[in-house]
Amino acid sequence: MRRMNPTETEKNTDATNRKDAEDTARPTEAVAEPEATGGAAADRTAGPDASADAPAAPADEDGIEDAEDAEDAEDGGIPEEKPRESSGLLSAAAGVVATGLGVVGLSGSWVGQVAAERQTLLGQLESSQGGSVAEQISAVYGDAWHTTALVNGVFALLALIVGVTVLTRPGRPGWVRACAVAGAVLGGIGILASVSMYFDLILALPQGS
């Protein structure tokens, strides 16, 4: 039997120790792998439960508002306001007023009456100082008549202006337009009558001897 050298004995011992160390490490790694696999499986198993238990995210109201703002921006930035339709009350009142002014322009008013009486009083004061008959007639009667014609002419002119203004407004009811037409016609007739009376074209002043 061959006798081994001390060096060979040490080499055999080292090889044996390395082999035993490898055999010991292999089961440990084999055991570790199932644990790692089980941990991943546990994580996958716990995943749905965790997501199910998580509270639902609230609805994004800001997103809805942003979408509405975007729609408004596409339409022009500011929503268009519908034009307000006029009730026609002002036009109706103006038509009635035009008719009333036209009647006053033809028949006279207390304003014209007071102005005429004042002018008559001034004429009497002037005629008391003397003068011809024609001058006295003109001072006492003529000036008063002319003042009445002037006041009535102003009312008739207002009736004509208001009536024509109402007629120029489109989309008015028939009765409103009828009142406006009546006021304009009466105003026109009143203006003609006032001008004729003021310039003595009709019913001229009598001439005294």
Side-chain angles (χ1 to χ4, degrees), residues 11 16 26 37 90 97 110 119-120 182 204:
K11 290 180 179 180
T16 302
R26 285 177 183 176
T37 305
L90 184 61
V97 169
W110 68 271
Q119 194 62 40
T120 300

Side-chain angles (χ1 to χ4, degrees), residues 132-185:
S132 63
V133 176
E135 291 177 352
Q136 291 179 1
I137 292 174
S138 177
V140 176
Y141 299 102
D143 293 342
W145 294 346
H146 293 164
T147 302
T148 301
L150 180 62
V151 174
N152 291 346
V154 172
F155 280 99
L157 180 61
L158 291 176
L160 180 62
I161 293 174
V162 174
V164 172
T165 302
V166 174
L167 290 175
T168 57
R169 303 284 294 180
R172 299 298 164 220
W175 69 271
V176 174
R177 298 180 65 84
C179 291
V181 170
V185 171

Side-chain angles (χ1 to χ4, degrees), residues 90-113:
L90 184 61
S91 298
V96 175
V97 169
T99 304
L101 290 174
V103 173
V104 172
L106 284 175
S107 61
S109 65
W110 68 271
V111 177
Q113 183 179 358

